[in-house]
Amino acid sequence: NWDFEDPLLNNLENILEIEFPDKSNIEREELKVDCWICYSYNLEGATPTTICREEKCSACFHQMCAYEWLKSLPDSRTMLDTIFGSCPYCKTPLSVKIPR
């Protein structure tokens, strides 16, 4: 039975009779999420560490991938050792330290 007062996730869990993982109880090391730009987890020894702040997006990127993406944007800007732009998926502001 669908309850219009409950959030979508609760309704799906009730109808499907399953429990989805709660991301608030998962440690960062357990996620092992691939980079949303290059689609790999390990890039020359680096793992995705840059995460979009928009909760509905939460895209993960390698620092180098995020830097290259932001560098390619016509409206990105650089200040000191950080480049600023927007997430390639949701357009939320995104920043990353410039790799050395």
Side-chain angles (χ1 to χ4, degrees):
N1 296 331
W2 193 271
D3 184 351
F4 290 98
E5 300 293 318
D6 277 347
L8 173 66
L9 184 60
N10 290 5
N11 280 308
L12 288 174
E13 287 179 332
N14 291 335
I15 290 172
L16 299 173
E17 297 179 357
I18 62 170
E19 188 173 329
F20 291 106
D22 181 6
K23 71 178 182 180
S24 65
N25 295 332
I26 297 174
E27 295 295 321
R28 183 183 188 101
E29 293 77 26
E30 294 176 36
L31 291 176
K32 293 196 176 182
V33 176
D34 292 344
C35 173
W36 288 31
I37 294 175
C38 74
Y39 304 109
S40 69
Y41 176 69
N42 190 325
L43 179 68
E44 298 175 1
T47 57
T49 56
T50 302
I51 301 173
C52 177
R53 290 187 206 116
E54 172 57 51
E55 188 174 313
K56 293 179 183 175
C57 178
S58 297
C60 299
F61 313 103
H62 295 107
Q63 178 186 9
M64 184 58 79
C65 294
Y67 168 70
E68 292 296 330
W69 165 258
L70 295 173
K71 189 172 77 168
S72 73
L73 298 176
D75 60 343
S76 68
R77 62 195 188 290
T78 303
M79 183 165 26
L80 301 174
D81 63 346
T82 304
I83 187 166
F84 300 86
S86 58
C87 173
Y89 288 90
C90 71
K91 306 301 181 210
T92 297
L94 182 70
S95 64
V96 68
K97 297 272 186 200
I98 298 171
R100 302 261 173 220

